[in-house]
Amino acid sequence: MMKRKLNPALLPMVLLILGLSTIAFPLYMTIVIAFKQPSEMSNTISGILSLPKHWSFSNFSEAMEVTDFWRSLGYSLLITLVTVVLSIVIHSMIGYVLGRNKNHNKFYGFVYLFIVSGMFVPFAILMMPLAKETAELGLANWFGVILLYVVFYMPMNIMLYSGYLVNIPLALEEAARVDGASTWRTYWKVIFPLMKPMHATVAVITALAVWNDVMTPLVIMAGSGVNTLPLAQMNFQSQFGTNYNLAFASYLLSLIPILVFYIICQKQIINGVVNGAVK
């Protein structure tokens, strides 16, 4: 008997279903527990996974009060937005310079490799020296956290920008120079707008990392009285150690802003992937 050939689309479909389940199941549990009352929680699997008997928003209002939600949200938005803007402006310029010169100049090639190698340095090694240094410089605040984020995510973002420049032909820059444009004007008028899909990709990656980060604000801003949302949610581990309903309600509230931001930028990310494939 001849062996039946497996459908080549079967394996990707199975992997897609498995990947979807790893996202959908935790999200389902988060939503269900957030709307439940503590009295509805039990030690059985069915008690945890079952739908709430009465959908209530009381957990959300109490979680907002415990975490000082609006103040914490304001600091999270401030740190995230400023970091994203600075990253796009600074990292794109450095990525442009290094991307156009690293293959023709050994110095630029060394600088590129030196910066990208920063991705392999764990934060645990830098944690204590950075805490001491920021305290000595008076940067143990939200501004110091933003500066550190811009440096931390520089290696990844520069690598992305340098790689994307391959899709932008040099003929465009040469034409701009023929028309009398300087390098600075050529970058802002020609190159920077063409990198819009990569700007969106860098913005989403950086925003997700900054929004969800706990360690950097915890180490740098300890004792300053300023909390981001992840820091404020640490209150549930002590004061509400067994009340997961409030904690999961708070997690849902903090998920909404970054989810909206991702949906807005999603189209640009897809365009960037398509344009890179076509070119």
Side-chain angles (χ1 to χ4, degrees), residues 16 24 34 40 48 54 124 129-130 140 161 176 197-198 219 222 235 242 254 273:
L16 182 62
E40 299 181 58
I48 297 176
H54 303 285
L130 284 175
Y161 277 119
M198 185 50 62
V219 172
N235 293 332
T242 58
S254 63
V273 174

Side-chain angles (χ1 to χ4, degrees), residues 130-145:
L130 284 175
K132 180 67 174 178
E133 185 176 356
T134 52
E136 292 291 336
L137 295 175
L139 295 175
N141 47 43
W142 60 269
F143 181 71
V145 171

Side-chain angles (χ1 to χ4, degrees), residues 131 134-135 139-142 145 214-227 231:
T134 52
L139 295 175
N141 47 43
W142 60 269
V145 171
V214 177
M215 289 303 300
T216 306
L218 178 63
V219 172
I220 304 302
M221 299 192 303
S224 65
V226 175
N227 281 335
L231 283 183

Side-chain angles (χ1 to χ4, degrees), residues 68-78 211 227-229 257:
D68 194 5
F69 178 77
W70 295 113
R71 187 169 183 266
S72 301
L73 176 64
Y75 279 110
S76 288
L77 288 174
L78 174 65
W211 188 266
N227 281 335
T228 59
L229 278 177

